[in-house]
Amino acid sequence: MKEYIILTDSSCDLPINLIKSLNVKYLGLVCNYKGNEIIEDGGQSLDYKTFYDSMRNGETPSTSQINVFRFTEEFEKHIKEGKGILYISFSSGLSGTYNSALLAREEILEKYPDADISIVDSRAASLGVGLLVYYSCCYKSQGKSKEEVVKWIEETKDKVCHFFTVNDLHHLKRGGRISTTAAIVGSILNIKPVLYVDDEGKLVIFNKVKGNKKAIKSLFEQFETHIINWEDQTIFISHGDNLADAEFLAKMIKEKYNVQNIIINNLGLAIGSHAGPGMLGLFFLGAYKRP
């Protein structure tokens, strides 16, 4: 079996120590913050607390996708080492990063016709991508080939449930992730919107509740409705500098279900720029994505 590497981007929101221990290759999305261009690196260049506090104080960071040049440079490095590449990307429904990777692969194939590069559109975001990366690394360590792992991802990605809530929909509206109408409706009466990522990898509002506790309860209810084979799963929770709520949600799950492993991590700079402080997201494998 040909040796291959697993590559992802910083939209995966996996803890940086886990990225390193899994030996995942990693490209950072770009965050434009206070006039500086920061390539995301798991909170090492800019800590999450500082970042989210600045947003609470009115800072409005923007983001850029990974360009073709950076992908070409990364792909070529591994191709020269004789390795195959499996890149698991941020949803094409939310970013142009996937298309940049496709263009880079075409450039590489012109120079290295035998290059073995698989590019998978996760149609996922945050720890939804992270979930696919995590399990892919587990299967790779068990000796599965790149082709077997790609097949598993394609069969599984429409079962990766993303349910999350945000404090302010205007961050998502500003980045073009939801419509202006949706943002206005979501701000009326100080309600908490609850969203999911659909089969096309796009954000959809499906519920609006009053208060933080009801929002967390709504996430837990979706977990109970959708979860399959929970005894064997790793559950993922991301948050925008909102660890208390993340731990509360994890406790609710552990108290009712015999889940052994829950991975909690901050929402990274790129997605955090659009979701804002206070975001709370829950990710797991279900029978299907939609509520």
Side-chain angles (χ1 to χ4, degrees):
M1 183 179 72
K2 182 176 180 178
E3 186 179 357
Y4 67 99
I5 61 101
I6 293 177
L7 171 68
T8 191
D9 56 64
S10 60
S11 73
C12 72
D13 286 336
L14 289 169
I16 196 66
N17 62 331
L18 184 57
I19 288 281
K20 292 176 179 177
S21 68
L22 292 172
N23 197 27
V24 176
K25 308 306 177 185
Y26 174 96
L27 284 174
L29 293 156
V30 180
C31 178
N32 305 297
Y33 175 79
K34 293 188 175 182
N36 297 310
E37 190 175 87
I38 299 173
I39 296 178
E40 192 168 3
D41 58 2
Q44 296 174 104
S45 296
L46 175 62
D47 72 89
Y48 296 124
K49 180 66 176 173
T50 299
F51 175 72
Y52 284 110
D53 278 347
S54 73
M55 289 189 74
R56 292 183 178 102
N57 291 323
E59 189 66 34
T60 55
S62 61
T63 60
S64 304
Q65 67 193 48
I66 301 167
N67 62 33
V68 175
F69 173 78
R70 289 179 61 206
F71 275 119
T72 303
E73 189 177 52
E74 183 71 19
F75 290 167
E76 186 167 23
K77 178 174 65 177
H78 301 295
I79 294 303
K80 283 182 175 179
E81 294 172 348
K83 297 175 182 176
I85 298 167
L86 167 54
Y87 169 53
I88 304 170
S89 85
F90 192 8
S91 171
S92 64
L94 295 171
S95 171
T97 294
Y98 171 70
N99 287 327
S100 291
L102 293 178
L103 292 171
R105 181 174 63 182
E106 292 306 310
E107 287 191 14
I108 289 292
L109 288 173
E110 288 179 7
K111 189 173 180 180
Y112 305 94
D114 296 327
D116 182 12
I117 306 174
S118 298
I119 298 174
V120 179
D121 178 4
S122 71
R123 294 206 292 266
S126 187
L127 283 171
V129 183
L131 181 155
L132 291 173
V133 171
Y134 177 83
Y135 281 114
S136 294
C137 290
C138 292
Y139 289 131
K140 180 176 183 284
S141 70
Q142 294 170 13
K144 291 191 180 296
S145 68
K146 178 167 69 68
E147 291 70 28
E148 288 175 311
V149 175
V150 169
K151 184 175 184 290
W152 176 83
I153 297 172
E154 293 292 356
E155 292 174 347
T156 305
K157 65 185 184 182
D158 288 338
K159 300 175 183 178
V160 179
C161 295
H162 307 54
F163 295 105
F164 66 100
T165 184
V166 297
N167 282 343
D168 186 350
L169 280 169
H170 287 287
H171 293 295
L172 290 170
K173 188 267 291 183
R174 180 172 53 83
R177 268 58 184 184
I178 61 169
S179 69
T180 300
T181 301
I184 292 172
V185 170
S187 299
I188 295 172
L189 301 177
N190 196 30
I191 60 173
K192 291 274 286 186
V194 186
L195 304 91
Y196 77 106
V197 174
D198 68 12
D199 290 343
E200 296 180 353
K202 297 180 179 179
L203 302 182
V204 181
I205 301 171
F206 75 93
N207 195 13
K208 296 181 278 290
V209 298
K210 271 201 169 186
N212 205 47
K213 289 184 178 179
K214 287 185 178 179
I216 297 173
K217 182 181 178 183
S218 180
L219 298 182
F220 182 69
E221 288 171 350
Q222 292 302 322
F223 177 83
E224 293 203 285
T225 300
H226 289 78
I227 190 69
I228 56 173
N229 302 324
W230 47 266
E231 302 94 336
D232 303 319
Q233 282 206 47
T234 296
I235 309 300
F236 298 79
I237 299 174
S238 66
H239 64 94
D241 191 32
N242 188 17
L243 182 59
D245 283 352
E247 290 180 337
F248 181 74
L249 178 58
K251 182 181 178 184
M252 289 177 71
I253 293 169
K254 285 182 175 180
E255 284 181 348
K256 188 164 183 180
Y257 295 89
N258 186 31
V259 174
Q260 300 299 314
N261 194 19
I262 298 181
I263 293 174
I264 300 174
N265 196 38
N266 265 292
L267 193 66
L269 307 183
I271 299 180
S273 295
H274 301 289
M279 175 272 187
L280 181 65
L282 178 61
F283 311 83
F284 57 91
L285 291 175
Y288 49 86
K289 279 186 172 182
R290 63 189 179 280

